[in-house]
């Protein structure tokens, strides 16, 4: 026998075997009867470790709003304090960044220094040179302090 004939014979034999196996595996479905499907068999396997972890995680996530609500109600004052502290810190950082950006503008930083030196010179001349003006400054400061603290001297 030549090799090509042998290959064809083996191929026919394999085809016949596969056809026999397919015939044995054939399942007939009768669609004429309604509800003729086999009921599902109950799961008899024990839940796997993954399933147990998944169940515990979904349980925790399901109760998460309750946990968060109780935590916030119990620690409301410290949370507000930390929030105010963080917002003050962010505000200071933003202000410093803005001042740094303004200082990078040419001629603006020296102009602000000049204005500051001029205001300081005016303040010294207006309030600090004479004793009567110093008394007036002390009186203005004490009046302002009383208004802030809440003592009105009317």
């Amino acid at each position: 026998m030549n090799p090509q004939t042998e290959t064809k014979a083996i191929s026919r034999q394999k085809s016949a075997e596969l056809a026999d196996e397919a015939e044995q595996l054939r399942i007939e479905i009768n669609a004429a009867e309604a509800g003729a499907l086999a009921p599902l068999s109950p799961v008899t396997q024990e839940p796997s470790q993954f399933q147990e972890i998944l169940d515990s995680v979904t349980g925790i996530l399901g109760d998460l709003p309750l946990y968060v609500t109780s935590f916030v109600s119990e620690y409301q004052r410290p949370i507000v304090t930390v929030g105010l502290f963080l917002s003050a810190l962010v505000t200071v950082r933003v202000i410093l960044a803005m001042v740094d950006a303004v200082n990078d503008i040419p001629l603006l930083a020296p102009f602000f220094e000049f204005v500051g030196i001029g205001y300081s010179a005016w303040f010294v001349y207006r309030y600090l040179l004479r004793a009567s003006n110093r008394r007036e400054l002390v009186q203005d400061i004490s009046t302002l302090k009383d208004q802030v603290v809440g003592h009105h001297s009317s």
Side-chain angles (χ1 to χ4, degrees), residues 141-154:
I141 290 174
S142 62
T143 303
L144 180 63
K145 183 178 74 169
D146 289 342
Q147 287 176 352
V148 170
V149 174
H151 302 289
H152 295 292
S153 58
S154 298

Side-chain angles (χ1 to χ4, degrees), residues 9-89:
I10 292 174
S11 160
R12 282 188 211 127
Q13 184 181 7
K14 283 286 191 186
S15 297
E17 288 175 6
L18 288 174
D20 288 340
E21 285 181 27
E23 190 65 36
Q24 290 173 357
L25 295 175
R26 180 172 290 171
I27 299 173
E28 290 190 27
I29 298 174
N30 187 359
E33 296 178 27
L37 294 176
L40 292 175
S41 62
V43 177
T44 58
Q45 289 182 340
E46 301 251 343
S48 66
Q49 184 178 6
F50 176 75
Q51 186 65 33
E52 290 174 6
I53 293 172
L54 185 64
D55 290 342
S56 66
V57 167
T58 54
I60 290 171
L61 290 178
D63 294 337
L64 188 63
L66 179 65
Y67 294 145
V68 170
T69 304
S70 65
F71 179 81
V72 168
S73 65
E74 186 174 343
Y75 297 107
Q76 185 175 8
R77 290 184 67 117
I79 290 172
V80 169
T81 303
V82 168
L84 288 174
F85 177 74
L86 290 176
S87 65
L89 186 66

Side-chain angles (χ1 to χ4, degrees), residues 21 69 91 117 122:
E21 285 181 27
T69 304
T91 303
I117 291 170
W122 173 83

Side-chain angles (χ1 to χ4, degrees), residues 84-137:
L84 288 174
F85 177 74
L86 290 176
S87 65
L89 186 66
V90 168
T91 303
V92 167
R93 296 283 302 228
V94 168
I95 289 173
L96 289 175
M98 288 173 45
V99 168
D100 189 43
V102 168
N103 277 338
D104 289 341
I105 299 173
L107 298 178
L108 200 56
F111 174 73
F112 283 148
E113 288 177 13
F114 180 70
V115 168
I117 291 170
Y119 182 78
S120 298
W122 173 83
F123 185 81
V124 167
Y125 174 75
R126 170 69 177 90
Y127 288 109
L128 301 179
L129 283 181
R130 291 187 283 279
S132 61
N133 292 346
R134 286 192 294 268
R135 277 188 239 113
E136 180 184 346
L137 178 63

